[in-house]
């Protein structure tokens, strides 16, 4: 379409703008709506979850309130050590510190037990010591200590004497005898030993219980766990260490014995609260103030929290993991969710990752703690919203593409209409202009003849010949106009039959011959023999050749040399019209087949023509499946070649 793409773009761009701008606005509005919807959905969801979540936080708080109250109950009426033992061994807390109501530390505290009775009988003790240390008479000393033990009324003194006896026996190498004194006799039940119940609570001058120390010493002497007395002795000592009932072991002694025991039997897990004792000691070593508030408070030990009972006589020590686990189990019982999970968070330990859907405080008992609700899996709402957005976007794009397509079709149609209107106007103007000249010249000649204004018959015949030529030219002009008009309406239906190229050439040459064969023009027709037939419309193809010949004549000056060549090449038949005329520039050569195109040269201007001839040629040749090309050089001439496919059938020889 000539000039079509040039005019199409502004209209297309306009249509695109008309389509794109509202669509883009629409998309923007849609995405804003989707975002808002997302926020609304989240809000709705959090409204749905929040009451349950807050109720859970209250349950958590109540749990800790109950737990704090339970601390006082556990400690109520029990001696401090026993209270500690209960709390720790029952698993209420990781460790505990016990105060009395006036805030004085009761457990763990070392110097709370009185010393173990009066000074020993100095004379007998002095004698026994003399034997042991000065004389190194260990057997004698052992016997002397045994005597003291036997005769002493005081259990503390007797126990100390037995301890000294065992020491002498050990030093004398009588290990088994020493073990018997320390851990009780295996054979002779009447023999004096520390296993006797009478010595159960005996203490040394520092307040330490003698029997557990003796049992430890016996275990050390036995060495090998396979010793027949080992298991029984160990069992007794462990029972004593785990027993927090009064009279209790001083905490320092208890910790010492536990530690030693762990060294002696490293492979055997002992049911002892070693860690709890250590933790309490470690905590007290930081010199803590008794917590003032009834809530979980951070201690100066890393990850350790203190929970005081309401009366603050008990301060339970809890490790962070334990608190999180306990809170977690309360939450799990309260909110058995599959679509969400709850994270327990401590303040100052980084933010929850990913950002929680809801975050609430765990209550006044856990002031630094929070519960974070996470929805399981990827955020279902954002996924849904994203799907929605994608659907909107796709719809938007499809609508845009569809509208753009419609716009293109409409634009094309509009352009075509525009072009047709323009063509019609050009056509009318050209037709009127072109018809005017031959008509008026014929009228003048006819008027002259009618008026009898001619000299002789010869002149009359000359006028008539002029009239006939003008008439012929008019007919050709009208033929061209009609072909063009039909062509524009695409109504030109060609009747294709097998044609002999030579016949077409001859017919066209006959039409122009009288005109071409004059003193200033040489016209050669060079037709190769045995040309194959072409499928074509006879009249249309004659029009093609005539147009080319006509142009060759029109656009040549004096001394014209025009050749019409016809030959076969590559399965085609070529009709070639060559002239030695004014020629054309390269640019003009490219455009000569456009409708109404005329090279703006004086000769082209002065020659009759309307710029339709070559476009008709191209239309007809295209409809025959052929090609037409122009080669030209300004001032040297032009060659137009039409190539039509040969049908393959040989044409009759001319
Ligand atoms: P017109 O009716 O003007 O001859 P055409 O479509 O036949 O229209 O030709 C278009 C233009 O191409 C002409 O106006 C002329 O300028 C140029 N042209 C065509 N044939 C020749 C030729 N043989 N030599 C030089 N110029 C030519």
């Amino acid at each position: 379409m000539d000039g079509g793409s040039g005019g199409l773009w502004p209209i297309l761009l306009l249509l695109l703008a008309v389509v794109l701008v509202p669509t883009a606005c629409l998309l923007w509005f849609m995405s804003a709506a989707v975002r808002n919807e997302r926020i609304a959905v989240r809000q709705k969801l959090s409204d749905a979850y929040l009451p349950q979540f807050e109720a859970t936080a209250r349950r958590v708080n109540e749990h800790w309130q109950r737990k704090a109250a339970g601390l006082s109950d556990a400690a109520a009426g029990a001696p401090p050590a026993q209270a500690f033992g209960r709390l720790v061994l029952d698993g209420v807390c990781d460790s505990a510190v016990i105060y009395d109501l006036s805030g004085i530390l009761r457990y763990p505290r070392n110097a709370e037990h009185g010393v173990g009775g009066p000074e020993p009988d100095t004379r007998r003790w002095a004698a026994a010591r003399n034997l042991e240390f000065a004389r190194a008479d260990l057997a004698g000393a052992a016997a002397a200590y045994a005597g003291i033990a036997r005769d002493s009324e005081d259990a503390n003194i007797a126990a100390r004497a037995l301890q000294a006896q065992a020491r002498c026996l050990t030093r004398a190498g009588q290990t088994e005898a020493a073990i018997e004194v320390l851990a009780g006799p295996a054979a002779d039940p009447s023999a004096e030993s520390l296993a006797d119940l009478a010595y159960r609570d005996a203490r040394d001058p520092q307040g330490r219980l003698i029997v557990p120390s003796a049992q430890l010493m016996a275990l050390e002497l036995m060495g090998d766990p396979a010793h027949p007395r080992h298991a029984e002795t160990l069992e007794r000592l462990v029972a004593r260490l785990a027993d927090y009932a009064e009279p209790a072991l001083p905490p320092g002694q208890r910790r010492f014995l536990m530690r030693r025991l762990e060294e002696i039997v490293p492979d055997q897990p002992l049911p002892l609260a070693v860690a709890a004792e250590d933790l309490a000691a470690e905590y007290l070593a930081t010199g803590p103030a008794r917590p003032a508030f009834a809530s979980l408070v951070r201690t100066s030990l890393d990850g350790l929290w203190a929970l005081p009972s309401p009366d603050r006589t008990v301060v339970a020590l809890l490790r962070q993991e334990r608190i999180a686990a306990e809170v977690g189990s309360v939450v799990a019982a309260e909110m058995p969710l599959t679509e969400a999970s709850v994270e327990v968070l401590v303040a100052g330990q980084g933010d929850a990752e990913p950002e929680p859907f809801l975050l609430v405080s765990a209550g006044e008992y856990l002031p630094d703690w929070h519960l974070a609700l996470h929805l399981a899996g990827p955020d279902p709402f954002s996924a849904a919203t994203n799907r929605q957005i994608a659907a909107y976007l796709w719809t938007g794009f499809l609508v845009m593409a569809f509208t753009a397509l419609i716009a293109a079709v409409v634009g094309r149609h509009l352009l075509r209409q525009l072009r047709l209107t323009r063509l019609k106007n050009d056509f009318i103007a050209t037709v009127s202009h072109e018809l005017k000249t031959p008509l008026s010249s014929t009228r003048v000649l006819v008027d002259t003849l009618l008026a009898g204004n001619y000299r002789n018959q010869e002149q009359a015949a000359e006028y008539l010949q002029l009239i006939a030529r003008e008439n012929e030219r008019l007919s050709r002009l009208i033929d061209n106009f009609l072909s063009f008009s039909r062509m524009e309406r695409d109504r030109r239906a060609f009747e294709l039959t097998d044609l002999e190229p030579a016949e077409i050439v001859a017919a066209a040459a006959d039409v122009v011959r009288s005109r071409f064969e004059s003193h200033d023009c040489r016209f050669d027709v060079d037709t190769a023999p045995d040309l194959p037939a072409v499928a074509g419309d006879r009249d249309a193809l004659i029009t093609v050749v005539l147009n080319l010949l006509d142009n060759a004549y029109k656009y040549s000056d004096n001394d014209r040399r025009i050749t019409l060549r016809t030959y076969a090449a590559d399965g085609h038949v070529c009709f070639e019209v060559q002239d030695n005329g004014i020629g054309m520039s390269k640019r003009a050569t490219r455009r000569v087949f456009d409708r109404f195109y005329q090279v703006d040269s004086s000769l082209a201007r002065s020659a009759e023509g309307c710029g339709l001839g070559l476009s008709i040629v191209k239309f007809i040749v295209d409809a025959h499946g052929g090609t037409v090309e122009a080669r030209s050089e300004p001032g040297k001439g032009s060659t137009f070649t039409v190539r039509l496919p040969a049908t393959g059938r040989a044409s009759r020889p001319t």
Side-chain angles (χ1 to χ4, degrees):
M1 180 182 338
D2 62 331
S5 52
L8 184 65
W9 281 114
I11 294 192
L12 265 189
L13 285 178
L14 188 74
L15 285 170
L16 272 183
V18 166
V19 171
L20 285 181
V21 170
T23 314
C25 290
L26 183 73
L27 284 178
W28 184 78
F29 281 129
M30 279 190 317
S31 78
V34 167
R35 251 199 319 276
N36 289 344
E37 189 175 310
R38 193 168 165 167
I39 295 169
V41 166
R42 270 187 95 84
Q43 187 57 47
K44 258 188 239 160
L45 195 79
S46 76
D47 287 351
Y49 269 115
L50 196 61
Q52 197 187 1
F53 202 38
E54 283 178 340
T56 303
R58 281 198 294 280
R59 291 290 105 69
V60 169
N61 198 50
E62 282 162 20
H63 168 85
W64 288 94
Q65 202 169 3
R66 265 200 313 280
K67 185 157 178 131
L71 295 177
S72 314
D73 295 347
Q82 203 166 357
F84 175 91
R86 267 187 211 160
L87 292 169
V88 168
L89 296 176
D90 291 354
V92 176
C93 46
D94 290 314
S95 186
V97 176
I98 316 289
Y99 297 87
D100 64 14
L101 282 171
S102 52
I104 293 166
L105 179 67
R106 302 291 298 152
Y107 192 93
R109 188 176 71 152
N110 267 330
E112 61 187 308
H113 299 279
V115 291
E119 276 296 297
D121 175 331
T122 44
R123 195 180 46 78
R124 284 186 80 174
W125 274 97
R129 281 211 192 87
N130 189 39
L131 283 174
E132 183 184 354
F133 297 111
R135 304 240 199 115
D137 176 6
L138 294 171
Y145 285 130
I148 297 172
R150 206 167 34 248
D151 299 340
S152 177
E153 295 286 305
D154 187 323
N156 290 332
I157 308 253
R160 284 178 219 166
L162 285 174
Q163 221 179 358
Q165 182 193 357
R167 184 177 66 229
C168 291
L169 289 172
T170 310
R171 288 177 68 199
Q174 298 181 33
T175 313
E176 286 306 316
I179 291 171
E180 290 207 349
V181 172
L182 292 166
D188 181 5
S190 65
E192 198 72 28
S193 88
L194 283 167
D196 197 316
L197 267 183
Y199 304 120
R200 190 178 177 275
D201 301 335
R203 290 178 194 269
D204 67 10
Q206 286 77 38
R208 294 178 296 229
L209 288 175
I210 289 171
V211 172
S213 298
Q215 283 165 339
L216 181 78
M217 192 176 163
L219 286 170
E220 282 174 337
L221 289 176
M222 289 173 208
D224 183 5
H227 191 282
R229 310 293 312 282
H230 193 279
E232 171 206 344
T233 311
L234 179 67
E235 194 183 323
R236 278 200 213 147
L237 179 55
V238 168
R240 193 67 203 262
L241 289 175
D243 181 12
Y244 282 85
E246 290 293 334
L249 277 161
Q253 186 188 10
R254 195 191 296 267
R255 274 182 74 204
F256 169 79
L257 292 175
M258 283 174 174
R259 287 269 174 78
R260 262 316 275 142
L261 210 50
E262 278 185 335
E263 284 166 23
I264 292 172
V265 283
D267 309 330
Q268 210 165 324
L270 301 172
L272 297 176
V274 192
E277 293 279 358
D278 285 350
L279 195 60
E282 219 180 311
Y283 169 68
L284 287 175
T286 64
R290 204 160 52 130
F293 305 106
S295 71
L296 261 180
V297 287
R298 221 184 268 272
T299 69
S300 49
L301 293 179
D302 192 29
L304 189 71
W305 295 71
L307 175 71
S309 63
D311 62 3
R312 299 194 296 137
T313 54
V314 177
V315 174
L317 299 176
L318 299 132
R319 287 185 206 284
Q320 199 153 293
E321 308 80 69
R322 184 193 188 97
I323 300 170
E326 249 175 72
V327 173
S329 63
V330 175
V331 171
E334 278 301 313
M335 288 180 86
L337 298 173
T338 49
E339 75 279 17
S341 65
V342 177
E343 191 183 0
V344 183
L345 296 170
V346 193
Q349 300 218 334
D351 293 331
E353 250 334 300
E355 201 193 324
F357 181 66
L358 282 176
L359 189 73
V360 295
S361 158
E364 60 199 19
Y365 256 86
L366 295 93
D368 283 342
W369 293 72
H370 288 92
L371 302 182
L373 184 83
H374 295 281
L375 295 177
D379 184 346
F381 304 96
S382 81
T385 325
N386 287 345
R387 269 202 303 277
Q388 217 166 337
I389 290 177
Y392 280 148
L393 285 178
W394 271 113
T395 318
F397 283 133
L398 286 180
V399 167
M400 268 197 289
F402 186 66
T403 328
L405 192 78
I406 296 220
V409 171
V410 169
R412 234 181 125 84
H413 183 71
L414 273 178
L415 261 162
R416 199 180 155 75
Q417 289 302 326
L418 269 175
R419 201 169 46 81
L420 276 180
T421 315
R422 205 172 59 208
L423 269 180
K424 222 183 264 175
N425 292 340
D426 288 356
F427 189 62
I428 291 168
T430 316
V431 168
S432 341
H433 179 262
E434 292 304 319
L435 292 185
K436 224 171 99 190
T437 325
L439 272 180
S440 54
S441 61
T442 0
R443 211 182 59 214
V444 171
L445 288 171
V446 169
D447 284 349
T448 314
L449 285 176
L450 281 178
N453 286 343
Y454 54 92
R455 282 192 301 276
N456 48 27
Q457 203 55 39
E458 222 167 272
Q459 196 177 32
E462 191 186 327
Y463 284 177
L464 282 173
Q465 221 151 40
L466 277 175
I467 292 172
R469 202 172 315 146
E470 281 303 294
N471 193 292
E472 189 189 320
R473 205 162 68 81
L474 254 182
S475 307
R476 248 195 342 270
L477 210 59
I478 287 173
D479 267 354
N480 263 356
F481 287 145
L482 286 181
S483 329
F484 174 72
S485 161
R486 274 196 232 104
M487 182 179 103
E488 264 314 309
R489 280 176 284 148
D490 276 354
R491 288 222 195 114
R492 176 89 207 203
F494 294 107
E495 278 175 30
L496 303 188
T497 51
D498 274 3
L499 299 173
E500 290 172 35
E503 192 188 319
I504 298 163
V505 169
D510 282 350
V511 174
V512 296
R513 187 160 284 124
S514 62
R515 191 157 38 116
F516 283 20
E517 285 175 353
S518 58
H519 66 282
D520 66 344
C521 180
R522 210 177 105 194
F523 178 46
D524 295 318
V525 179
D526 175 6
T527 309
D530 299 334
L531 288 170
V534 290
D537 183 311
R538 187 175 183 279
D539 290 342
L541 291 185
I542 291 174
T543 306
V544 166
V545 179
L546 268 182
N547 266 303
L548 296 179
L549 288 173
D550 228 19
N551 280 350
Y553 189 85
K554 275 193 295 188
Y555 302 113
S556 298
D557 273 327
N558 300 328
D559 192 19
R560 301 175 171 93
R561 273 205 305 283
I562 299 169
T563 310
L564 168 58
R565 237 176 256 114
T566 314
Y567 54 90
D570 304 333
H572 287 77
V573 175
C574 304
F575 299 90
E576 197 170 274
V577 177
Q578 188 179 10
D579 63 58
N580 63 339
I582 58 168
M584 287 173 288
S585 67
K586 272 213 163 58
R587 189 171 164 273
T589 313
R590 273 198 303 276
R591 298 198 56 197
V592 282
F593 297 103
D594 292 350
R595 282 172 201 132
F596 295 109
Y597 180 79
Q598 289 183 298
V599 179
D600 197 8
S601 79
S602 56
L603 189 58
R605 282 280 113 217
S606 63
E608 317 91 339
C610 52
L612 283 179
L614 287 179
S615 62
I616 291 168
V617 167
K618 185 162 167 47
F619 176 79
I620 294 172
V621 171
D622 282 349
H624 282 72
T627 57
V628 54
E629 74 172 17
R631 277 170 289 134
S632 188
E633 216 174 307
K636 293 211 170 152
S638 316
T639 306
F640 285 81
T641 310
V642 170
R643 290 160 64 85
L644 293 176
T647 56
R649 286 176 286 270
S651 65
R652 287 188 306 272
T654 43

